[in-house]
mmCIF file of all heavy atoms in Angstrom:
data_model
loop_
_atom_site.group_PDB
_atom_site.id
_atom_site.type_symbol
_atom_site.label_atom_id
_atom_site.label_comp_id
_atom_site.label_asym_id
_atom_site.label_seq_id
_atom_site.Cartn_x
_atom_site.Cartn_y
_atom_site.Cartn_z
ATOM 1 N N THR A 95 -56.713 7.644 19.304
ATOM 2 C CA THR A 95 -55.353 8.038 18.969
ATOM 3 C C THR A 95 -55.402 9.161 17.956
ATOM 4 O O THR A 95 -56.024 9.032 16.896
ATOM 5 C CB THR A 95 -54.575 6.840 18.393
ATOM 6 O OG1 THR A 95 -54.407 5.865 19.425
ATOM 7 C CG2 THR A 95 -53.222 7.278 17.863
ATOM 8 N N ALA A 96 -54.781 10.291 18.301
ATOM 9 C CA ALA A 96 -54.881 11.471 17.442
ATOM 10 C C ALA A 96 -53.955 12.554 17.960
ATOM 11 O O ALA A 96 -53.415 12.468 19.067
ATOM 12 C CB ALA A 96 -56.319 12.001 17.417
ATOM 13 N N MET A 97 -53.826 13.586 17.148
ATOM 14 C CA MET A 97 -53.210 14.822 17.603
ATOM 15 C C MET A 97 -54.334 15.673 18.201
ATOM 16 O O MET A 97 -55.378 15.853 17.556
ATOM 17 C CB MET A 97 -52.536 15.551 16.457
ATOM 18 C CG MET A 97 -51.747 16.765 16.880
ATOM 19 S SD MET A 97 -50.247 16.333 17.771
ATOM 20 C CE MET A 97 -49.188 15.899 16.390
ATOM 21 N N TYR A 98 -54.113 16.153 19.398
ATOM 22 C CA TYR A 98 -55.112 16.954 20.086
ATOM 23 C C TYR A 98 -54.675 18.420 20.110
ATOM 24 O O TYR A 98 -53.518 18.720 20.436
ATOM 25 C CB TYR A 98 -55.317 16.435 21.513
ATOM 26 C CG TYR A 98 -56.130 15.173 21.564
ATOM 27 C CD1 TYR A 98 -55.613 13.967 21.082
ATOM 28 C CD2 TYR A 98 -57.423 15.175 22.071
ATOM 29 C CE1 TYR A 98 -56.378 12.807 21.095
ATOM 30 C CE2 TYR A 98 -58.194 14.022 22.104
ATOM 31 C CZ TYR A 98 -57.667 12.850 21.614
ATOM 32 O OH TYR A 98 -58.422 11.690 21.635
ATOM 33 N N TYR A 99 -55.627 19.293 19.771
ATOM 34 C CA TYR A 99 -55.345 20.714 19.654
ATOM 35 C C TYR A 99 -56.250 21.535 20.565
ATOM 36 O O TYR A 99 -57.432 21.228 20.714
ATOM 37 C CB TYR A 99 -55.569 21.186 18.216
ATOM 38 C CG TYR A 99 -54.704 20.530 17.194
ATOM 39 C CD1 TYR A 99 -55.095 19.363 16.555
ATOM 40 C CD2 TYR A 99 -53.473 21.088 16.836
ATOM 41 C CE1 TYR A 99 -54.300 18.757 15.608
ATOM 42 C CE2 TYR A 99 -52.667 20.488 15.881
ATOM 43 C CZ TYR A 99 -53.093 19.325 15.278
ATOM 44 O OH TYR A 99 -52.292 18.723 14.335
ATOM 45 N N CYS A 100 -55.681 22.595 21.083
ATOM 46 C CA CYS A 100 -56.427 23.613 21.798
ATOM 47 C C CYS A 100 -56.628 24.790 20.838
ATOM 48 O O CYS A 100 -55.715 25.110 20.056
ATOM 49 C CB CYS A 100 -55.624 24.039 23.021
ATOM 50 S SG CYS A 100 -56.276 25.427 23.945
ATOM 51 N N ALA A 101 -57.785 25.412 20.892
ATOM 52 C CA ALA A 101 -58.069 26.540 20.018
ATOM 53 C C ALA A 101 -58.935 27.559 20.738
ATOM 54 O O ALA A 101 -59.614 27.221 21.723
ATOM 55 C CB ALA A 101 -58.761 26.068 18.740
ATOM 56 N N ALA A 102 -58.917 28.794 20.227
ATOM 57 C CA ALA A 102 -59.650 29.861 20.899
ATOM 58 C C ALA A 102 -60.153 30.891 19.905
ATOM 59 O O ALA A 102 -59.583 31.077 18.824
ATOM 60 C CB ALA A 102 -58.743 30.544 21.926
ATOM 61 N N TYR A 103 -61.254 31.566 20.299
ATOM 62 C CA TYR A 103 -61.667 32.769 19.589
ATOM 63 C C TYR A 103 -62.296 33.720 20.582
ATOM 64 O O TYR A 103 -62.787 33.316 21.642
ATOM 65 C CB TYR A 103 -62.589 32.479 18.408
ATOM 66 C CG TYR A 103 -63.963 31.909 18.719
ATOM 67 C CD1 TYR A 103 -65.068 32.745 18.896
ATOM 68 C CD2 TYR A 103 -64.155 30.537 18.783
ATOM 69 C CE1 TYR A 103 -66.325 32.222 19.136
ATOM 70 C CE2 TYR A 103 -65.418 30.003 19.020
ATOM 71 C CZ TYR A 103 -66.496 30.842 19.194
ATOM 72 O OH TYR A 103 -67.744 30.318 19.441
ATOM 73 N N TYR A 104 -62.256 34.976 20.220
ATOM 74 C CA TYR A 104 -62.745 36.032 21.093
ATOM 75 C C TYR A 104 -64.263 36.078 21.027
ATOM 76 O O TYR A 104 -64.838 36.155 19.934
ATOM 77 C CB TYR A 104 -62.154 37.371 20.667
ATOM 78 C CG TYR A 104 -62.553 38.546 21.525
ATOM 79 C CD1 TYR A 104 -62.170 38.613 22.857
ATOM 80 C CD2 TYR A 104 -63.303 39.586 20.994
ATOM 81 C CE1 TYR A 104 -62.525 39.696 23.643
ATOM 82 C CE2 TYR A 104 -63.656 40.671 21.763
ATOM 83 C CZ TYR A 104 -63.267 40.722 23.092
ATOM 84 O OH TYR A 104 -63.614 41.795 23.877
ATOM 85 N N ALA A 105 -64.898 36.025 22.194
ATOM 86 C CA ALA A 105 -66.359 36.014 22.256
ATOM 87 C C ALA A 105 -66.786 36.754 23.512
ATOM 88 O O ALA A 105 -67.024 36.130 24.559
ATOM 89 C CB ALA A 105 -66.880 34.580 22.266
ATOM 90 N N PRO A 106 -66.907 38.047 23.465
ATOM 91 C CA PRO A 106 -67.210 38.802 24.688
ATOM 92 C C PRO A 106 -68.539 38.463 25.338
ATOM 93 O O PRO A 106 -68.707 38.681 26.549
ATOM 94 C CB PRO A 106 -67.162 40.254 24.214
ATOM 95 C CG PRO A 106 -67.309 40.200 22.746
ATOM 96 C CD PRO A 106 -66.714 38.902 22.302
ATOM 97 N N GLU A 107 -69.486 37.895 24.580
ATOM 98 C CA GLU A 107 -70.773 37.551 25.159
ATOM 99 C C GLU A 107 -71.013 36.050 25.214
ATOM 100 O O GLU A 107 -72.137 35.615 25.518
ATOM 101 C CB GLU A 107 -71.893 38.233 24.359
ATOM 102 C CG GLU A 107 -71.804 39.747 24.391
ATOM 103 C CD GLU A 107 -72.949 40.422 23.658
ATOM 104 O OE1 GLU A 107 -73.838 39.693 23.158
ATOM 105 O OE2 GLU A 107 -72.961 41.655 23.585
ATOM 106 N N GLY A 108 -70.006 35.279 24.981
ATOM 107 C CA GLY A 108 -70.151 33.828 25.052
ATOM 108 C C GLY A 108 -70.740 33.275 23.768
ATOM 109 O O GLY A 108 -70.307 33.614 22.687
ATOM 110 N N HIS A 109 -71.780 32.420 23.902
ATOM 111 C CA HIS A 109 -72.434 31.783 22.748
ATOM 112 C C HIS A 109 -71.428 31.005 21.920
ATOM 113 O O HIS A 109 -71.366 31.135 20.696
ATOM 114 C CB HIS A 109 -73.153 32.825 21.883
ATOM 115 C CG HIS A 109 -74.055 33.732 22.651
ATOM 116 N ND1 HIS A 109 -75.139 33.294 23.371
ATOM 117 C CD2 HIS A 109 -74.005 35.075 22.833
ATOM 118 C CE1 HIS A 109 -75.724 34.317 23.969
ATOM 119 N NE2 HIS A 109 -75.058 35.415 23.669
ATOM 120 N N CYS A 110 -70.649 30.194 22.595
ATOM 121 C CA CYS A 110 -69.586 29.454 21.946
ATOM 122 C C CYS A 110 -70.152 28.291 21.142
ATOM 123 O O CYS A 110 -71.175 27.703 21.508
ATOM 124 C CB CYS A 110 -68.595 28.917 22.974
ATOM 125 S SG CYS A 110 -67.793 30.181 23.979
ATOM 126 N N SER A 111 -69.417 27.943 20.100
ATOM 127 C CA SER A 111 -69.794 26.804 19.276
ATOM 128 C C SER A 111 -68.552 26.175 18.695
ATOM 129 O O SER A 111 -67.642 26.878 18.247
ATOM 130 C CB SER A 111 -70.732 27.230 18.154
ATOM 131 O OG SER A 111 -70.925 26.170 17.229
ATOM 132 N N LEU A 112 -68.529 24.842 18.678
ATOM 133 C CA LEU A 112 -67.403 24.136 18.064
ATOM 134 C C LEU A 112 -67.404 24.315 16.552
ATOM 135 O O LEU A 112 -66.386 24.064 15.903
ATOM 136 C CB LEU A 112 -67.460 22.648 18.410
ATOM 137 C CG LEU A 112 -67.065 22.276 19.839
ATOM 138 C CD1 LEU A 112 -67.407 20.822 20.118
ATOM 139 C CD2 LEU A 112 -65.580 22.544 20.086
ATOM 140 N N GLN A 113 -68.513 24.762 15.996
ATOM 141 C CA GLN A 113 -68.599 24.986 14.561
ATOM 142 C C GLN A 113 -68.135 26.379 14.158
ATOM 143 O O GLN A 113 -68.065 26.694 12.961
ATOM 144 C CB GLN A 113 -70.035 24.772 14.068
ATOM 145 C CG GLN A 113 -70.440 23.309 13.944
ATOM 146 C CD GLN A 113 -70.535 22.607 15.278
ATOM 147 O OE1 GLN A 113 -71.162 23.102 16.200
ATOM 148 N NE2 GLN A 113 -69.912 21.440 15.391
ATOM 149 N N SER A 114 -67.819 27.201 15.146
ATOM 150 C CA SER A 114 -67.336 28.542 14.837
ATOM 151 C C SER A 114 -65.918 28.505 14.285
ATOM 152 O O SER A 114 -65.225 27.491 14.388
ATOM 153 C CB SER A 114 -67.374 29.407 16.101
ATOM 154 O OG SER A 114 -68.686 29.587 16.560
ATOM 155 N N ASP A 115 -65.514 29.626 13.712
ATOM 156 C CA ASP A 115 -64.136 29.745 13.215
ATOM 157 C C ASP A 115 -63.241 30.134 14.384
ATOM 158 O O ASP A 115 -63.339 31.240 14.895
ATOM 159 C CB ASP A 115 -64.055 30.797 12.116
ATOM 160 C CG ASP A 115 -64.716 30.348 10.832
ATOM 161 O OD1 ASP A 115 -64.699 29.130 10.559
ATOM 162 O OD2 ASP A 115 -65.249 31.202 10.106
ATOM 163 N N PHE A 116 -62.396 29.229 14.777
ATOM 164 C CA PHE A 116 -61.460 29.498 15.857
ATOM 165 C C PHE A 116 -60.264 30.256 15.298
ATOM 166 O O PHE A 116 -59.666 29.854 14.303
ATOM 167 C CB PHE A 116 -61.027 28.195 16.520
ATOM 168 C CG PHE A 116 -62.054 27.654 17.473
ATOM 169 C CD1 PHE A 116 -63.237 27.104 16.999
ATOM 170 C CD2 PHE A 116 -61.861 27.713 18.846
ATOM 171 C CE1 PHE A 116 -64.197 26.616 17.870
ATOM 172 C CE2 PHE A 116 -62.815 27.231 19.723
ATOM 173 C CZ PHE A 116 -63.989 26.678 19.236
ATOM 174 N N THR A 117 -59.900 31.335 15.966
ATOM 175 C CA THR A 117 -58.874 32.237 15.455
ATOM 176 C C THR A 117 -57.462 31.764 15.760
ATOM 177 O O THR A 117 -56.564 31.908 14.932
ATOM 178 C CB THR A 117 -59.053 33.630 16.076
ATOM 179 O OG1 THR A 117 -60.415 34.041 15.906
ATOM 180 C CG2 THR A 117 -58.131 34.649 15.429
ATOM 181 N N TRP A 118 -57.281 31.209 16.954
ATOM 182 C CA TRP A 118 -55.931 30.842 17.389
ATOM 183 C C TRP A 118 -55.874 29.352 17.702
ATOM 184 O O TRP A 118 -56.803 28.802 18.306
ATOM 185 C CB TRP A 118 -55.546 31.645 18.639
ATOM 186 C CG TRP A 118 -55.502 33.114 18.390
ATOM 187 C CD1 TRP A 118 -54.499 33.802 17.769
ATOM 188 C CD2 TRP A 118 -56.493 34.094 18.739
ATOM 189 N NE1 TRP A 118 -54.818 35.152 17.721
ATOM 190 C CE2 TRP A 118 -56.025 35.347 18.301
ATOM 191 C CE3 TRP A 118 -57.731 34.020 19.382
ATOM 192 C CZ2 TRP A 118 -56.747 36.523 18.486
ATOM 193 C CZ3 TRP A 118 -58.455 35.184 19.566
ATOM 194 C CH2 TRP A 118 -57.972 36.421 19.123
ATOM 195 N N TRP A 119 -54.770 28.743 17.320
ATOM 196 C CA TRP A 119 -54.569 27.307 17.500
ATOM 197 C C TRP A 119 -53.206 27.026 18.111
ATOM 198 O O TRP A 119 -52.223 27.726 17.812
ATOM 199 C CB TRP A 119 -54.664 26.582 16.156
ATOM 200 C CG TRP A 119 -56.033 26.596 15.569
ATOM 201 C CD1 TRP A 119 -56.613 27.622 14.868
ATOM 202 C CD2 TRP A 119 -57.007 25.559 15.636
ATOM 203 N NE1 TRP A 119 -57.887 27.274 14.504
ATOM 204 C CE2 TRP A 119 -58.158 26.005 14.951
ATOM 205 C CE3 TRP A 119 -57.030 24.278 16.192
ATOM 206 C CZ2 TRP A 119 -59.304 25.227 14.824
ATOM 207 C CZ3 TRP A 119 -58.162 23.499 16.060
ATOM 208 C CH2 TRP A 119 -59.292 23.982 15.381
ATOM 209 N N GLY A 120 -53.151 25.998 18.920
ATOM 210 C CA GLY A 120 -51.884 25.514 19.412
ATOM 211 C C GLY A 120 -51.247 24.579 18.409
ATOM 212 O O GLY A 120 -51.814 24.283 17.352
ATOM 213 N N GLN A 121 -50.075 24.084 18.757
ATOM 214 C CA GLN A 121 -49.314 23.228 17.842
ATOM 215 C C GLN A 121 -49.727 21.762 17.931
ATOM 216 O O GLN A 121 -49.367 20.966 17.081
ATOM 217 C CB GLN A 121 -47.815 23.354 18.121
ATOM 218 C CG GLN A 121 -47.278 22.518 19.274
ATOM 219 C CD GLN A 121 -47.742 22.990 20.639
ATOM 220 O OE1 GLN A 121 -48.265 24.093 20.802
ATOM 221 N NE2 GLN A 121 -47.534 22.155 21.663
ATOM 222 N N GLY A 122 -50.476 21.435 18.969
ATOM 223 C CA GLY A 122 -50.970 20.070 19.129
ATOM 224 C C GLY A 122 -50.098 19.231 20.041
ATOM 225 O O GLY A 122 -48.908 19.497 20.237
ATOM 226 N N THR A 123 -50.730 18.211 20.606
ATOM 227 C CA THR A 123 -50.022 17.244 21.439
ATOM 228 C C THR A 123 -50.565 15.857 21.103
ATOM 229 O O THR A 123 -51.775 15.669 20.978
ATOM 230 C CB THR A 123 -50.182 17.586 22.941
ATOM 231 O OG1 THR A 123 -49.360 16.720 23.728
ATOM 232 C CG2 THR A 123 -51.619 17.495 23.409
ATOM 233 N N GLN A 124 -49.667 14.892 20.931
ATOM 234 C CA GLN A 124 -50.050 13.574 20.437
ATOM 235 C C GLN A 124 -50.521 12.669 21.571
ATOM 236 O O GLN A 124 -49.848 12.538 22.604
ATOM 237 C CB GLN A 124 -48.866 12.911 19.721
ATOM 238 C CG GLN A 124 -49.131 11.513 19.219
ATOM 239 C CD GLN A 124 -50.131 11.472 18.078
ATOM 240 O OE1 GLN A 124 -50.150 12.360 17.214
ATOM 241 N NE2 GLN A 124 -50.968 10.437 18.053
ATOM 242 N N VAL A 125 -51.666 12.052 21.350
ATOM 243 C CA VAL A 125 -52.180 11.034 22.260
ATOM 244 C C VAL A 125 -52.259 9.720 21.503
ATOM 245 O O VAL A 125 -52.863 9.652 20.426
ATOM 246 C CB VAL A 125 -53.578 11.420 22.795
ATOM 247 C CG1 VAL A 125 -54.177 10.272 23.610
ATOM 248 C CG2 VAL A 125 -53.492 12.685 23.637
#
Side-chain angles (χ1 to χ4, degrees):
T95 293
M97 186 71 79
Y98 284 69
Y99 299 90
C100 173
Y103 66 92
Y104 182 65
E107 298 183 2
H109 309 299
C110 300
S111 171
L112 286 170
Q113 283 68 49
S114 296
D115 289 328
F116 281 72
T117 309
W118 298 282
W119 292 81
Q121 82 290 346
T123 187
Q124 177 68 37
V125 173

